[in-house]
Amino acid sequence: MTRSRIAFSLGLAGLLALAGCGAAPTTADVAAETYALTAMDAPSASPSEAAAAKPRRAYLRRNTLHGEITVQVKDGTRTVVVQRGTVTATDAKTLSVKSSDGFTQTWTLGDKAKVQGTLKTGAEVGVAGRKDGSTTVARLVRVK
């Protein structure tokens, strides 16, 4: 698989994870991440290639557990992170999520974080944000 296909697949997985979480990518706070991922979803492809991609997108949307991708933005690069799973701990500033494959991530709730629903231990969530050094900052949290 070529590097561009790998990058496209990871970008598509991130975008679809956001979509699968029910998160509307129209919030100004996640516009850069959403824009970068959406742009990767628009390669020049023949109609048959585009039709073949639909089942793969549906599969990724339903089955993405977690991932990260580095994208080129106007002022450099940005690492976009997504995760789906169960809340194992939460407080006013952090959120720990465990995916069904055992992967656990602790997210810092950013100042501009949009939380859709009530966060509590045991809730099923989809989280999207970015890496800031060694910190993963949640920008969008969708409670199922």
Side-chain angles (χ1 to χ4, degrees):
M1 186 178 272
T2 66
R3 288 183 189 191
S4 61
R5 284 186 181 167
I6 292 170
F8 173 73
S9 297
L10 289 173
L12 184 58
L15 178 61
L16 292 172
L18 283 174
C21 295
T26 58
T27 309
D29 293 331
V30 294
E33 289 93 336
T34 303
Y35 176 78
L37 292 174
T38 303
M40 292 182 71
D41 195 23
S44 57
S46 69
S48 63
E49 288 173 328
K54 283 186 179 185
R56 290 189 299 254
R57 286 193 303 260
Y59 178 81
L60 286 171
R61 182 175 56 245
R62 287 189 312 268
N63 296 303
T64 298
L65 299 177
H66 54 88
E68 67 179 55
I69 182 168
T70 303
V71 295
Q72 184 71 45
V73 293
K74 189 164 97 173
D75 58 345
T77 60
R78 180 170 295 150
T79 302
V80 178
V81 185
V82 294
Q83 184 180 13
R84 219 187 260 174
T86 304
V87 175
T88 57
T90 185
D91 61 32
K93 296 187 180 203
T94 62
L95 171 69
S96 293
V97 178
K98 183 175 184 178
S99 297
S100 62
D101 66 345
F103 175 81
T104 301
Q105 178 75 49
T106 299
W107 297 79
T108 300
L109 295 172
D111 295 337
K112 298 179 180 180
K114 302 292 182 195
V115 179
Q116 299 173 343
T118 304
L119 283 177
K120 61 183 177 181
T121 302
E124 294 292 317
V125 296
V127 187
R130 62 174 96 164
K131 279 237 174 158
D132 185 9
S134 62
T135 305
T136 307
V137 180
R139 301 294 297 269
L140 182 61
V141 181
R142 168 80 177 171
V143 179
K144 191 172 182 179

